[in-house]
């Protein structure tokens, strides 16, 4: 039986076939709920729970369910815009701040740098819920409570961004940054013209993950927002569920609309994820 070498080891063909089949089955199982959700979003309400499942609806409402969601009583479009605004600003700010912090921990020598970095990443062990009340009191006192600025400030600082980007930046040869210093470049110029372009896969990976986390954030908007006009899509879905929870076709149309940006981000950014996650895994 033919064998294929992988990392210097010979892998029998039957093992690769079995692994491919198993992964295919797991993939189908994981995709089934998503396919059912999309299918249900086009169905007539009476056909939602037909058995066997109608993956392709025999009676379809077309885009009427989506029209009822977007043009109905709930300002779904406003919730969508609020999420887009908060998410994009948070992602850009988090990436910029993370790059600057990672550059400091990887390319600038100062006493106690490595110990400070270990202390910094140790804060990842602190659950976010522990700081919820102090953050609430602080934002209340400084007048940011019930604003989108409050959500942005809550999410723009990320220990993970500094950790991921630092692990990528330490793999960059010192000769590149040293040459920039000889040419008279300062730290900011070196960061934005040399270090960031080389670290693009890791930056893209973190940006995608940050987008997903911020878009799906339910806790912070629930705690720090009280005005319905400021609600993000997650709170909007909750309100929509309270009002139309018995209409599963409408709920699935709302859910598909809510996850659409995430699907688009993954489709166009998936090639960066693996390369970005493994960057810096050898050195640092």
């Amino acid at each position: 039986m033919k064998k294929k070498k992988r990392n210097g080891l010979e892998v029998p063909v039957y093992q690769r076939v079995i692994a491919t089949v198993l992964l295919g089955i797991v993939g189908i199982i994981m995709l089934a709920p998503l396919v059912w959700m999309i299918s249900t979003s086009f169905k007539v309400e009476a056909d939602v729970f037909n058995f066997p499942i109608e993956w392709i609806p025999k009676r379809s409402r077309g885009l009427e369910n989506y029209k009822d969601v977007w043009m109905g009583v709930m300002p779904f479009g406003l919730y969508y815009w609020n999420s887009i605004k908060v998410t994009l600003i948070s992602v850009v700010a988090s990436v910029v701040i993370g790059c600057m912090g990672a550059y400091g921990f990887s390319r600038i020598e100062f006493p106690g740098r490595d110990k400070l970095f270990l202390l910094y990443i140790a804060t990842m062990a602190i659950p976010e819920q522990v700081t919820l009340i102090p953050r609430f009191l602080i934002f209340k006192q400084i007048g940011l409570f019930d604003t989108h600025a409050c959500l942005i400030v809550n999410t723009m600082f990320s220990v993970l961004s500094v950790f991921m980007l630092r692990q990528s930046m330490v793999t960059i040869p010192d000769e590149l940054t040293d040459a920039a210093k000889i040419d008279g470049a300062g730290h900011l110029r070196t960061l934005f013209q040399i270090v960031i372009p080389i670290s693009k896969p890791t930056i893209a990976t973190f940006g995608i993950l940050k987008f997903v986390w911020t878009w799906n954030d339910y806790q912070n908007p629930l705690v720090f927002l009280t005005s319905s006009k400021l609600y993000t899509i997650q709170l909007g879905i909750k309100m929509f569920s309270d009002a139309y929870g018995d209409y599963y076709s409408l709920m699935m149309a709302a859910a598909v609309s809510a996850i659409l940006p995430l699907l688009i981000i993954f489709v166009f950014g998936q090639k960066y994820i693996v390369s970005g996650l493994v960057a810096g895994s050898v050195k640092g």
Side-chain angles (χ1 to χ4, degrees):
M1 182 174 291
K2 294 183 178 180
K3 297 182 179 180
K4 181 180 179 180
K5 288 189 176 181
R6 181 180 299 170
N7 297 328
L9 300 176
E10 292 185 348
V11 181
V13 175
Y14 76 91
Q15 290 186 6
R16 290 189 283 117
V17 172
I18 293 175
T20 302
V21 172
L22 291 178
L23 289 175
I25 294 174
V26 173
I28 292 174
I29 294 174
M30 296 181 67
L31 285 175
L34 176 62
V35 175
W36 182 86
M37 181 175 66
I38 296 174
S39 173
T40 302
S41 68
F42 294 100
K43 290 180 179 179
V44 176
E45 184 64 29
D47 296 341
V48 170
F49 293 108
N50 283 355
F51 189 83
I53 297 175
E54 296 178 358
W55 297 103
I56 300 178
K58 295 180 180 178
R59 295 189 298 171
S60 174
R61 293 196 69 202
L63 297 177
E64 289 299 315
N65 288 333
Y66 290 90
K67 183 178 178 180
D68 292 341
V69 170
W70 286 88
M71 304 298 179
V73 178
M74 295 291 177
F76 207 78
L78 177 62
Y79 300 149
Y80 220 80
W81 164 246
N82 290 339
S83 282
I84 291 175
K85 180 175 70 173
V86 171
T87 301
L88 290 181
I89 295 176
S90 297
V91 169
V92 173
S94 185
V95 167
V96 173
I97 294 173
C99 287
M100 296 174 68
Y103 179 84
F105 281 120
S106 62
R107 316 308 298 184
I108 300 178
E109 294 285 349
F110 58 88
R113 183 189 67 177
D114 295 337
K115 293 181 180 179
L116 181 61
F117 177 69
L118 291 176
L119 179 63
Y120 181 71
I121 63 174
T123 60
M124 295 176 65
I126 302 175
E128 185 180 0
Q129 290 76 13
V130 172
T131 62
L132 195 60
I133 295 178
R135 283 185 287 130
F136 177 87
L137 296 176
I138 291 173
F139 289 126
K140 190 78 171 178
Q141 291 176 356
I142 64 178
L144 287 182
F145 180 74
D146 196 27
T147 64
H148 285 159
C150 179
L151 297 183
I152 294 171
V153 173
N154 262 302
T155 56
M156 66 188 294
F157 299 99
S158 173
V159 178
L160 182 61
S161 68
V162 177
F163 174 73
M164 286 182 61
L165 296 173
R166 185 260 180 189
Q167 296 304 97
S168 175
M169 291 180 184
V170 294
T171 64
I172 299 175
D174 294 335
E175 289 77 10
L176 292 177
T177 53
D178 291 341
K181 291 179 182 179
I182 295 174
D183 292 338
H187 288 302
L188 285 179
R189 185 178 174 185
T190 302
L191 171 64
F192 287 101
Q193 292 188 359
I194 297 177
V195 176
I196 287 182
I198 298 176
S199 305
K200 278 183 179 179
T202 305
I203 293 174
T205 299
F206 174 75
I208 293 171
L209 296 176
K210 185 66 176 179
F211 186 96
V212 173
W213 296 333
T214 307
W215 184 271
N216 286 333
D217 186 17
Y218 178 76
Q219 176 181 272
N220 285 319
L222 179 65
V223 173
F224 295 105
L225 295 180
T226 57
S227 302
S228 59
K229 64 180 181 180
L230 299 176
Y231 282 0
T232 59
I233 192 67
Q234 303 306 323
L235 295 183
I237 288 289
K238 179 63 171 63
M239 293 184 64
F240 192 88
S241 175
D242 293 340
Y244 299 96
D246 295 332
Y247 298 91
Y248 291 94
S249 57
L250 295 182
M251 282 300 304
M252 294 304 103
V256 171
S257 299
I259 68 171
L260 185 60
L262 306 182
L263 295 177
I264 295 175
I265 287 292
F266 270 113
V267 168
F268 289 99
Q270 60 180 334
K271 63 180 181 180
Y272 295 105
I273 294 179
V274 175
S275 59
L277 289 177
V278 302
S281 59
V282 178
K283 181 180 178 182

